[in-house]
Amino acid sequence: MTESTKSATLKIGDKSVELPMFTPTSGPEVIDIRKLYSQAGVFTYDPGFTSTASCDSTITFIDGDEGILTHRGYPIGELAEKSHYLEVCYLLLYGELPSPTELEDFEDLVTNHTMIHEQMINFFRGFRRDAHPMALLVGVVGAMSAFYHDSTDINDERQREVASIRLIAKMPTIAAMAYKYTIGQPFIYPRNDLDYASNFLRMCFAVPAEDYVVDPILSRAMDRIFTLHADHEQNASTSTVRLASSSGANPFACIAAGIACLWGPAHGGANQACLEMLKEIGTPDRIPEYIARAKDKDDPFRLMGFGHRVYKNFDPRATVMKQSADEVLELLGVENNPTLQVAKELERQALEDPYFADKKLFPNVDFYSGIILEAMGFPTSMFTPIFSLARTVGWISQWKEQLNDPQLKIGRPRQLYLGEDIRSYVDIEKR
Ligand code: SDX
């Protein structure tokens, strides 16, 4: 970390506190407040962490004003166009693009760990068939700590590596099993002669009664969707994984916590909520009614798939996703998909509306992804499990980075207490 030539002086009453600053590779400088409480006896106050850097990281950078997203320095647009998901996984995990041999070895390693412990099938059977697949994902991934005891010691580098590969390799199998379980179809085992995305599609859509050939258009689109969701700096679910890991919790428990957080409609659950919203709107003539509702402070309705804590410009992932939606739907012969037409018209009208322009609300990664996923045959309930599957490598990369930080401390925020002052207990007879 590079100390800035500048420092910050905080005047508190008649006291002054000098705080060092650090200079990033890119992005805002930071004020180091670690010693603020001990020096000045005050806390900072930042619910929602709108102005707080929770850590330092070398993995992903976002410039929200410019609409820039890079992974280890490589722009997401280039990775989506020229790379593929497992290569992006290697980049996120190890910091550099792999050599041909490194890539082949990594892909072999992941491919040969896609099966789950057979006993875990019984674990699935405890769920109701109408459970949301995300409920199964949270439960089954958390339960991995009960099946893979030999990769739960976070102080053992080898075990950390084994747990990382197991999670990346097995998440598609678990997500596909969650889908199959909820539609009452038999589980389909992974195959080692298929690439990562094709394997997932086959595990979701094949049935034992007939052969299933993966459509290369779909597997390319699926792989690109995985890449676009792989990591995103210190978003809510990644911060959840980091906080859970700071207590020393095992990797499977930490990733299960991340899945639980991602499920929320303000976060990863927005892709499901967005498609449901687009279908509720139904036709372009109803768009003005929904835009009016989104602008109404008394109406809790928000345009799902719009807005972002960091992006105050186009989410670069949404740009790629929109192009991919056009390509995939045309190749699938559903280019006149009514939901896509509503989405495009909604985007046009919203971006022309001063409310959205003034608040810098643009489509985010969740605005177009659901349209592609639905066209590929997925129900809306599988949208967030697919987001979880893709983000597993981001959570794991950030988890590993934090565990390698010699300054790692348990995360323990403080608070601004506004409750009752100290008072004595009153016996019930006197109340
Ligand atoms: C993801 O953080 C990440 O990196 C997340 C993610 C990742 O890859 O990990 O990018 C994935 O979660 C994308 C976001 C998906 N969520 C949605 O699409 C849900 C709809 N969006 C909003 O709920 C909202 O935009 C958030 C949650 C995404 C961001 O909320 P913020 O940063 O806390 O902003 P805010 O709620 O304070 O909104 C600022 C203003 C408010 O108006 P005022 O109170 O200032 O008058 O903008 C308004 C909001 O009411 N606003 C919206 C809106 N989003 C914000 N108004 C209508 N529709 C919206 N979608």
Side-chain angles (χ1 to χ4, degrees):
M1 235 169 354
T2 308
E3 189 146 349
S4 171
T5 53
K6 297 193 286 284
S7 66
T9 303
L10 197 55
K11 277 185 69 55
I12 303 171
D14 56 0
K15 281 180 71 176
S16 277
V17 180
E18 199 76 16
L19 297 168
M21 293 178 69
F22 290 109
T23 302
T25 308
S26 306
E29 290 198 303
V30 300
I31 299 172
D32 181 355
I33 59 167
R34 287 176 289 183
K35 293 190 168 52
L36 177 63
Y37 180 54
S38 61
Q39 288 177 353
V42 296
F43 296 145
T44 58
Y45 180 66
D46 187 14
F49 310 120
T50 52
S51 304
T52 294
S54 61
C55 62
D56 54 81
S57 179
T58 62
I59 299 172
T60 290
F61 173 70
I62 302 170
D63 182 325
D65 295 325
E66 298 302 318
I68 291 170
L69 166 61
T70 64
H71 294 318
R72 303 291 191 179
Y74 296 98
I76 189 62
E78 288 188 44
L79 292 173
E81 183 191 341
K82 298 174 181 174
S83 185
H84 63 279
Y85 181 69
L86 280 189
E87 183 176 73
V88 172
C89 287
Y90 186 98
L91 176 66
L92 288 169
L93 286 168
Y94 306 115
E96 297 295 340
L97 290 170
S99 68
T101 306
E102 288 166 334
L103 180 60
E104 185 182 351
D105 292 347
F106 180 74
E107 293 188 332
D108 285 350
L109 190 59
V110 171
T111 300
N112 286 282
H113 287 85
T114 48
M115 287 175 67
I116 66 170
H117 192 296
E118 195 70 4
Q119 196 68 16
M120 289 187 82
I121 290 179
N122 299 330
F123 192 81
F124 272 90
R125 302 230 183 282
F127 289 94
R128 285 174 47 141
R129 289 282 182 172
D130 61 355
H132 193 291
M134 282 298 280
L136 276 76
L137 225 57
V138 172
V140 173
V141 171
M144 287 175 78
S145 53
F147 290 88
Y148 298 106
H149 302 100
D150 60 344
S151 60
T152 53
D153 178 358
I154 59 159
N155 299 307
D156 178 332
E157 167 58 31
R158 171 75 189 134
Q159 292 196 33
R160 291 208 295 265
E161 191 63 17
V162 169
S164 303
I165 297 300
R166 276 175 168 158
L167 279 158
I168 292 165
K170 298 177 193 311
M171 197 60 88
T173 309
I174 294 169
M177 290 174 74
Y179 172 52
K180 285 301 201 184
Y181 188 75
T182 57
I183 59 173
Q185 286 189 1
F187 299 135
I188 300 294
Y189 285 86
R191 289 182 55 90
N192 292 352
D193 58 351
L194 292 176
D195 64 67
Y196 194 84
S198 300
N199 224 344
F200 175 65
L201 290 171
R202 183 178 170 279
M203 288 189 284
C204 287
F205 297 126
V207 289
E210 58 188 27
D211 290 340
Y212 178 85
V213 179
V214 179
D215 180 335
I217 298 166
L218 297 189
S219 61
R220 178 66 190 135
M222 188 82 267
D223 189 273
R224 183 178 291 168
I225 286 174
F226 290 161
T227 295
L228 292 172
H229 288 82
D231 189 48
H232 212 239
E233 198 213 70
Q234 305 312 317
N235 58 84
S237 54
T238 298
S239 300
T240 300
V241 171
R242 280 181 173 260
L243 196 55
S245 172
S246 73
S247 75
N250 75 68
F252 306 112
C254 294
I255 299 304
I259 295 170
C261 177
L262 188 75
W263 194 357
H267 192 10
N271 52 17
Q272 173 174 346
C274 179
L275 199 83
E276 288 165 353
M277 173 193 73
L278 292 171
K279 287 187 169 305
E280 184 185 321
I281 294 173
T283 52
D285 61 304
R286 297 188 65 204
I287 288 172
E289 169 198 339
Y290 282 82
I291 285 184
R293 284 188 57 197
K295 294 160 61 176
D296 180 355
K297 296 311 290 172
D298 298 326
D299 188 330
F301 172 78
R302 287 190 164 184
L303 285 190
M304 292 288 108
F306 251 79
H308 198 278
R309 169 61 58 75
V310 178
Y311 289 121
K312 301 310 172 191
N313 197 323
F314 246 86
D315 179 335
R317 301 167 297 175
T319 305
V320 178
M321 202 74 81
K322 183 177 178 181
Q323 291 160 3
S324 190
D326 284 330
E327 286 167 22
V328 171
L329 269 62
E330 185 181 348
L331 289 167
L332 292 175
V334 288
E335 60 272 23
N336 297 321
N337 176 303
T339 310
L340 180 60
Q341 305 316 317
V342 169
K344 287 183 172 181
E345 180 58 15
L346 173 60
E347 175 190 333
R348 187 189 67 78
Q349 291 189 30
L351 295 181
E352 287 178 358
D353 187 303
Y355 173 91
F356 294 90
D358 295 348
K359 293 179 187 293
K360 300 187 177 198
L361 303 175
F362 291 86
N364 59 49
V365 68
D366 294 310
F367 190 68
Y368 284 102
S369 57
I371 293 165
I372 303 174
L373 292 173
E374 185 189 54
M376 295 171 76
F378 291 105
T380 53
S381 62
M382 275 302 289
F383 292 3
T384 311
I386 288 168
F387 194 152
S388 306
L389 184 172
R391 183 54 58 87
T392 295
V393 66
W395 291 328
I396 285 289
S397 303
Q398 304 266 352
W399 168 78
K400 288 178 74 173
E401 180 177 67
Q402 178 172 275
L403 287 176
N404 288 329
D405 181 352
Q407 296 186 67
L408 173 58
K409 298 167 77 72
I410 187 167
R412 206 293 188 197
R414 299 304 303 274
Q415 62 177 10
L416 169 64
Y417 177 66
L418 300 175
E420 292 289 341
D421 203 344
I422 197 160
R423 53 183 173 167
S424 301
Y425 181 82
V426 178
D427 293 335
I428 192 157
E429 299 79 21
K430 295 176 184 166
R431 288 180 219 158

